[in-house]
Amino acid sequence: MFLNTDFLFDKEIRLVLEKTVDGDPEKNWVPAYHFAICSSEGNRMGSCDLRIGHNENLYYGGNIGYRVEEAYRGNHYAGKACLLLFELARKHDLQYLIITCNPDNAASRKTCEYAGGKLLEIVPLPEDNDMRDAGETEKCIYRFEL
């Protein structure tokens, strides 16, 4: 199921596989890759993950998550990581991906736009969604055609 990820790099960043997680159908979880976002020199600048598949949970939670350490923000590293993850998603025969963010997260919205996402809608989270436990109430839903 999991593929070789050694090709996930460009002239600025490299995605270094940290772990893979098998899906859990009982919990409605899909398989996932977890990466460190590293500079070409090997400095860890953040993290990202790719969840393989589609379901209602992923419509609200997204196929890709990312975080860039504060010292490295403002350089499009999250967007560049997404573009690399799109290549891996294509190898898994996915036709599109969803990335979500909170409406007030301007940096994440810019990342989605940088990576070519189309804003589908801003929606309230379902009442039973786990993200509500962290105080989240709405999501911007971006779709990326692969």
Side-chain angles (χ1 to χ4, degrees):
M1 171 71 200
F2 292 104
L3 305 175
N4 181 305
T5 61
D6 292 344
F7 66 95
L8 296 175
F9 66 92
D10 63 20
K11 63 182 179 178
E12 291 183 83
I13 66 170
R14 173 177 296 278
L15 302 185
V16 177
L17 184 64
E18 294 186 318
K19 68 178 180 177
T20 57
V21 178
D22 291 329
D24 184 340
E26 288 183 18
K27 294 181 180 178
N28 209 18
W29 292 353
V30 298
Y33 294 85
H34 294 262
F35 298 93
I37 303 172
C38 297
S39 68
S40 57
E41 295 83 27
N43 298 320
R44 189 178 201 284
M45 301 184 299
S47 60
C48 61
D49 59 83
L50 173 65
R51 300 168 206 111
I52 304 297
H54 297 291
N55 61 34
E56 183 180 354
N57 287 347
L58 289 177
Y59 186 76
Y60 297 103
N63 291 100
I64 292 178
Y66 45 78
R67 182 180 191 291
V68 174
E69 299 299 329
E70 192 169 342
Y72 299 102
R73 292 179 185 166
N75 297 291
H76 299 294
Y77 293 139
K80 292 170 184 175
C82 288
L83 295 174
L84 291 172
L85 291 175
F86 293 170
E87 294 300 318
L88 181 57
R90 284 185 193 99
K91 289 182 181 283
H92 279 280
D93 296 323
L94 293 176
Q95 304 300 307
Y96 70 94
L97 293 177
I98 298 291
I99 299 178
T100 69
C101 64
N102 292 337
D104 63 351
N105 187 338
S108 194
R109 291 181 77 162
K110 285 181 185 178
T111 293
C112 289
E113 292 164 9
Y114 173 88
K118 176 185 176 193
L119 178 63
L120 296 181
E121 59 183 339
I122 299 174
V123 295
L125 286 172
E127 291 299 324
D128 63 346
N129 189 287
D130 291 348
M131 289 182 280
R132 283 193 172 270
D133 295 342
E136 298 183 34
T137 59
E138 294 184 297
K139 288 292 175 181
C140 295
I141 312 292
Y142 287 88
R143 182 177 169 123
F144 299 78
E145 298 299 328
L146 302 178

